[in-house]
């Protein structure tokens, strides 16, 4: 049985055109881009062309008097850590306050909790039942010691002024898109730099860094059919960043280490392809996602689609099947040749309930029966139709069992 891959939010297959671009680069630009000889200069040119192309595709401006900066990293996790620790100067600064949403990826929430255990004051923005950050909770962005003291008496908030805020652009589990422009405007008015983790959004919907108004943004190539092992942190012009790594002068000393030319070229190629196909790809994935959802609601009428009333990524659906156990269901689907997940790939294997779904205020039954399907550029109508048949058969098998056997 040919497996049907519906876990593109975990990682995506490399597109053939991307692989070809990387192979060509490896032949022409294998040298260290810091080397001064001809081959090194050639590698440097390929790297900087890729950097500029990636920035242009994502709406960043690397030119002008105060240019944006694009720092290559090993992926989204490193970029998120660099943003949270680097924007706060946490390695050397006295404890202050940080703000994150209550639905962040572990590569944001865990570093924030690490700082919290070391005396930093951590505030989490709540979300609605549809998984959208509450824009009305502006107390967290209030400035000035008097305002902070009076607000802390009402909300339990720390009187420390926030040094950074971080809210993801689109949630990795539900696909719900967050009101980043509005939150960035609130943060900017308060003098608080806002970072956004755009890992799940880039390559699925158009993303324009400057239009979002954020101070920093994280991306990762393997989420949009590029290579694994490379991501980037984009910084708005004038934003100060402290390095986490030391030992070289590459990338202005903000992220030392030999730069991955071939991976950068692959990342650029994947973004070029998305830019060329984005309208058709978004429309097609929306139609396929809706087709899948409607069929599964028919197969299990009590099913609940999380975030259905909110703006969502066109490729993502998180569905609860009340009466079933999420891990048992994912295992049964795997045996039936359908690859999906119970949530974030970084939390795979954990029996803990999804922090995102818990933050949305959902019941234990809905949280415990939720699984995620995510589509990609390589998903076809035939794949979705075959997946619907396989999933429906698995659900029918559970329906025929006793309630005790379902769990």
């Amino acid at each position: 049985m040919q497996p049907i891959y519906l876990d593109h939010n975990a990682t995506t297959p490399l597109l053939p055109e991307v692989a070809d671009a990387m192979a060509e680069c490896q032949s022409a630009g294998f040298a260290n881009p810091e080397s001064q000889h001809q081959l090194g200069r050639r590698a440097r040119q390929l790297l900087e062309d890729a950097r500029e192309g990636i920035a242009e595709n994502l709406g960043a401006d690397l030119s002008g008097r105060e240019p944006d900066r694009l720092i290559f990293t090993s992926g989204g996790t490193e970029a998120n850590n660099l943003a949270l620790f680097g924007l706060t100067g946490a390695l050397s600064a006295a404890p202050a306050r940080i703000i994150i949403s209550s639905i962040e990826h572990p590569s944001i929430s865990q570093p924030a909790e690490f700082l919290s255990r070391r005396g930093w004051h951590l505030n989490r923005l709540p979300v609605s039942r549809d998984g959208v950050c509450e824009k009305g909770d502006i107390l967290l962005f209030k400035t000035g010691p008097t305002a902070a003291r009076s607000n802390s008496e009402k909300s339990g908030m720390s009187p420390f002024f926030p040094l950074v805020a971080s809210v993801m652009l689109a949630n990795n589990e539900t696909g719900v898109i967050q009101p980043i422009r509005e939150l960035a405007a609130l943060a900017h008015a308060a003098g608080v730099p806002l970072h956004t983790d755009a890992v799940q959004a880039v390559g699925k919907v158009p993303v324009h860094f400057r239009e979002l108004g954020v101070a920093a943004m994280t991306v990762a190539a393997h989420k949009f059919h590029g290579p694994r092992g490379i991501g980037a942190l984009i910084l708005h012009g004038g934003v100060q960043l402290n390095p986490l790594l030391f030992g070289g002068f590459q990338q202005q000393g903000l992220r030392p280490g030999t730069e991955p030319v071939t991976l950068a070229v692959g990342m650029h190629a994947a973004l070029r392809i998305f830019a060329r196909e984005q309208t058709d790809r978004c429309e097609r994935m929306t139609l396929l996602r809706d087709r899948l959802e409607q069929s599964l609601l028919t197969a299990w009428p009590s099913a609940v689609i999380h975030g259905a009333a909110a703006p969502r990524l066109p490729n993502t659906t998180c569905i609860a099947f009340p009466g079933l156990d999420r891990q048992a269901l994912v295992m049964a689907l795997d045996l039936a040749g359908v690859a999906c997940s119970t949530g974030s790939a970084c939390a795979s294997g954990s029996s803990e309930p999804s922090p995102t779904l818990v933050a949305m205020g959902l019941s234990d039954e809905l949280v415990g029966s939720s699984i995620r399907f995510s589509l990609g550029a390589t998903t076809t109508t035939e794949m979705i139709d075959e997946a619907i048949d396989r999933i429906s058969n698995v659900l029918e098998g559970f329906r025929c069992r006793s309630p005790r056997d379902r769990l």
Side-chain angles (χ1 to χ4, degrees):
M1 183 185 299
Q2 184 68 29
I4 299 172
Y5 186 71
L6 298 180
D7 198 19
H8 287 82
N9 281 9
T11 196
T12 55
L14 196 70
L15 293 178
E17 187 175 335
V18 175
D20 290 343
M22 293 172 65
E24 182 179 351
C25 171
Q26 188 61 25
S27 298
F30 67 89
N32 190 319
E34 298 300 331
S35 298
Q36 296 182 8
H37 49 62
Q38 183 178 355
L39 292 176
R41 295 196 304 273
R42 171 60 176 159
R44 168 58 57 186
Q45 186 64 55
L46 290 171
L47 178 70
E48 296 309 321
D49 286 349
R51 193 193 309 270
E52 292 174 8
I54 293 167
E56 181 179 359
N57 273 278
L58 294 176
D61 184 2
L62 303 188
S63 62
R65 296 181 59 184
E66 197 171 52
D68 300 330
R69 288 167 291 169
L70 189 149
I71 309 299
F72 286 119
T73 65
S74 62
T77 293
E78 183 191 341
N80 277 344
N81 276 259
L82 179 58
L84 209 60
F85 289 114
L87 292 173
T88 59
L91 294 183
S92 58
R97 185 155 63 93
I98 51 178
I99 301 168
I100 66 173
S101 81
S102 56
I103 57 170
E104 291 302 306
H105 186 271
S107 58
I108 285 291
S109 63
Q110 290 185 13
E113 290 162 4
F114 172 87
L115 291 176
S116 178
R117 292 192 296 271
R118 281 152 180 78
W120 286 65
H121 294 256
L122 172 61
N123 292 118
R124 289 182 171 87
L125 291 171
V127 296
S128 69
R129 193 172 178 84
D130 280 318
V132 180
C133 262
E134 300 283 6
K135 292 178 289 184
D137 197 358
I138 61 173
L139 288 178
L140 294 178
F141 293 114
K142 289 289 187 181
T143 60
T146 302
R149 279 196 297 272
S150 61
N151 291 332
S152 65
E153 293 173 359
K154 300 175 184 177
S155 64
M157 182 183 68
S158 162
F160 287 104
F161 181 75
L163 289 186
V164 71
S166 183
V167 179
M168 59 177 24
L169 182 52
N171 185 260
N172 49 298
E173 295 184 47
T174 63
V176 171
I177 298 172
Q178 303 303 318
I180 294 300
R181 285 185 181 88
E182 294 88 338
L183 289 170
L186 287 171
H188 181 74
V192 180
L194 177 69
H195 161 261
T196 188
D197 174 359
V199 163
Q200 289 295 349
V202 171
K204 293 156 190 169
V205 292
V207 174
H208 194 286
F209 175 71
R210 281 287 179 116
E211 291 180 359
L212 289 175
V214 295
M217 183 173 82
T218 291
V219 296
H222 77 105
K223 301 293 188 179
F224 48 83
H225 300 280
R228 299 180 193 180
I230 186 168
L233 180 66
I234 302 177
L235 299 168
H236 193 278
V239 171
Q240 299 299 310
L241 186 76
N242 295 283
L244 292 184
L245 304 177
F246 301 88
F249 53 83
Q250 295 93 341
Q251 304 196 86
Q252 301 172 327
L254 295 176
R255 202 287 187 177
T258 303
E259 295 133 313
V261 181
T262 302
L263 296 180
V265 167
M267 184 177 184
H268 182 208
L271 280 175
R272 283 202 318 268
I273 296 169
F274 175 70
R276 186 179 71 214
E277 301 177 353
Q278 66 180 18
T279 299
D280 290 341
R281 192 186 292 186
C282 291
E283 290 178 354
R284 183 172 58 82
M285 285 197 294
T286 301
L287 290 172
L288 293 178
R289 181 202 64 190
D290 292 349
R291 185 188 191 102
L292 176 64
E293 288 180 345
Q294 290 161 11
S295 297
L296 297 185
L297 288 173
T298 299
W300 199 268
S302 63
V304 176
I305 299 171
H306 301 310
R312 288 186 294 160
L313 296 175
N315 79 311
T316 305
T317 181
C318 186
I319 309 179
F321 296 90
L324 302 183
D325 175 74
R326 60 190 173 94
Q327 293 179 321
L329 181 53
V330 166
M331 291 174 62
L333 290 173
D334 184 41
L335 292 174
V338 177
C340 59
S341 70
T342 60
S344 169
C346 291
S348 63
S350 171
S351 60
E352 294 297 316
S354 160
T356 292
L357 301 184
V358 171
M360 291 165 62
L362 304 179
S363 67
D364 291 345
E365 182 179 31
L366 291 180
V367 173
S369 62
S370 294
I371 63 174
R372 180 189 71 186
F373 300 101
S374 48
L375 288 57
T378 56
T379 307
T380 65
T381 302
E382 292 74 21
M383 289 179 184
I384 290 298
D385 287 343
E386 177 63 23
I388 289 170
D389 288 342
R390 296 182 189 183
I391 298 168
S392 298
N393 288 336
V394 168
L395 293 175
E396 183 60 29
F398 275 106
R399 182 178 287 109
C400 294
R401 303 177 190 178
S402 69
R404 181 188 297 270
D405 292 335
R406 294 178 187 174
L407 302 178

